[in-house]
Amino acid sequence: MRSRTGAPRSPAPSAVGRRAVVRGLAGAAGVLGAAGCGSIGPATIVRDRADYLSAIGESWKEQTLLNIVRLRYSDAPTFLDVSSIISGYTLQGQVSAGAAISSDRTTAVPFRLGTIGAGAGIIDRPTISYTPMSGDRFTRSLLHPIPPAAIFGLVEAGFPADLILLVTIRALNSVFNRSSMGGRSRSADPRFYPLLEAFRRLQLSGAVSLRRERQGQDEIAHLILAHGLSEAVTRDLELVAATLNLQLGRNRQFLLTTGAVPRNEQEIAVLSRSMMEILLELGQGIAVPEPHVAAGRTSAASRTVEAEHPWDRPFVRIHAGPAGPADAFVAVPYRETWYWVEDGDRASKAVLSFLMLLFSLAETGLPRQAPVLTVPAN
């Protein structure tokens, strides 16, 4: 076909070519439409919650172990709390298309579709805020003794009484636990370990409970020791009463107070440890390298795995070496040396995990700011 001027006229796009363009663009738009119509937020909850919980838990274990090691080397502990997590998602997409018109009049489809492309992506930009532990919160969390009611509340909740009292108690009614802290370093009184074992048996028999009452603005707690359950329970009750110089009356309720010496035979004076003391005690379980001791960087361990009495062994066995094992429960580097707790050491893992509860109990009276996870989706 020629125009009025005689020049060849370019062929018009065929219906087939137009339909190809429409189908291509519709498909590309459908890709972005499918990605844009659905909500991003709900699909991320399961993954984000599990991933962030795992990351915070692992970070807490590493921070705790690192501070135990730092204290063993007379270094200052440093704690950072994850105060907030904001994970923002952005959906981005693009569509591209190209076409060409052929001047060849003999072709059946003069209009050719070149390329059509579509792409969509989700960008995650998390913002994590950290709050250093300082001021009054640092003092209360690390230096104040753990409240006696909180300690025996854990016993009532089912946590092993012998382990809890061994880790958190310095003395009950002037019956002293072992200590590895400097000027207070001492062995446990001969009556202390049998007392732990008796408390554990009473706990398993259901003979130990706790009652809390309000007196004005203060809360008081009574430890209740049941009676009449069995001869074995009676013997353990008599052992506890004789060791702590208690008078087993009809109600068998004993006021829990703070201190080393009770005022009468109806009180249990609890001299509890602070978190700083507990971390220092745990540090004695580190198998520090001999060259570090010889160089004066740290002291030799006062507690060893080869201790004669099982209760005299370290609370947590912490190993040291040039590199941590791949299957460690937790491992941290410090001054070109790795320190770790073995994954197969259940006792050490239990005590280290138990510290998280103790940190919460040590902050009684202060509002605790828990990590907040906010996930806006655009």
Side-chain angles (χ1 to χ4, degrees), residues 12-46:
S14 67
V16 175
R18 289 194 299 271
R19 286 195 297 270
V21 173
V22 172
R23 286 196 300 268
L25 292 177
V31 172
L32 294 179
C37 292
S39 178
I40 301 174
T44 64
I45 291 177
V46 175

Side-chain angles (χ1 to χ4, degrees), residues 16 54 65 87 92 129 144 154 203 212 229 231 234 250 262 334 363 365:
V16 175
S54 177
L65 179 58
S87 186
Q92 293 184 344
S129 301
H144 283 198
L154 291 174
Q203 179 192 28
R212 302 172 186 262
L229 299 179
E231 293 183 3
T234 300
R250 175 175 297 180
Y334 180 76
E363 294 184 9

